[in-house]
């Protein structure tokens, strides 16, 4: 059985991601979206996620995306989004890799961050 990962957000809809620490700014969540809906939220962390089972509907302010089983997707830092099981899908599970950009680019305004990460 999959352990339920708490979804915690503040009054500004900022998600406080379980498992992220300043010592190691990465975590992996296995989320069951069969019955759970991830409400509108945003965070500083980057997401690289994989539709492990079923299909996922992701909404942003501009688009709605359907991610099918076996596909991966990327959500950049500070993007407001909502996730749920796609219509017609039964069991839906995602593997969500979340990490703070500092893991890739070092500290804010470092040469690597400014030249390669910030433009994305």
């Amino acid at each position: 059985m999959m352990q339920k990962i708490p979804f915690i957000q503040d009054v500004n809809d900022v998600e406080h991601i379980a498992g992220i620490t300043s010592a190691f700014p990465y975590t992996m969540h296995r989320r069951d979206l069969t019955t759970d809906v991830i409400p509108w939220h945003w965070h500083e962390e980057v997401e690289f996620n994989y539709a492990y089972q079923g299909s996922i509907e992701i909404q942003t302010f501009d688009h709605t995306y359907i991610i099918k089983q076996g596909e991966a997707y990327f959500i950049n830092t500070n993007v407001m989004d909502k996730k749920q099981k796609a219509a017609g899908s039964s069991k839906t599970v995602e593997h969500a890799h979340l990490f703070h950009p500092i893991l890739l680019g070092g500290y804010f305004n470092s040469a690597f961050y400014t030249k390669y990460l910030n433009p994305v």
Side-chain angles (χ1 to χ4, degrees):
M1 185 171 160
M2 195 178 322
Q3 180 182 5
K4 187 162 178 82
I5 298 167
F7 184 87
I8 303 165
Q9 66 188 132
D10 67 18
V11 296
N12 296 313
D13 295 328
V14 176
E15 179 185 3
H16 296 276
I17 299 170
I20 294 277
T21 67
S22 58
F24 194 74
Y26 164 84
T27 191
M28 187 272 196
H29 292 174
R30 185 169 188 237
R31 288 208 183 264
D32 188 339
L33 299 175
T34 305
T35 56
D36 291 346
V37 172
I38 306 298
W40 286 103
H41 71 285
W42 65 279
H43 42 74
E44 291 182 349
E45 291 75 16
V46 173
E47 293 185 57
F48 185 71
N49 302 338
Y50 176 72
Y52 179 74
Q53 191 173 4
S55 296
I56 304 166
E57 178 181 302
I58 302 164
Q59 295 176 28
T60 66
F61 286 140
D62 298 330
H63 294 91
T64 297
Y65 304 91
I66 303 298
I67 309 301
K68 297 178 181 162
Q69 183 171 315
E71 295 179 339
Y73 63 97
F74 172 82
I75 299 178
N76 208 348
T77 183
N78 300 323
V79 173
M80 182 75 87
D81 68 275
K82 175 184 176 184
K83 294 186 236 179
Q84 61 191 13
K85 173 181 76 169
S89 191
S90 54
K91 179 85 172 160
T92 301
V93 175
E94 78 167 352
H95 290 177
H97 299 270
L98 300 109
F99 50 93
H100 196 279
I102 201 166
L103 186 68
L104 295 179
Y107 288 98
F108 182 70
N109 285 336
S110 70
F112 187 84
Y113 182 91
T114 303
K115 186 171 182 179
Y116 299 109
L117 192 59
N118 195 38
V120 175

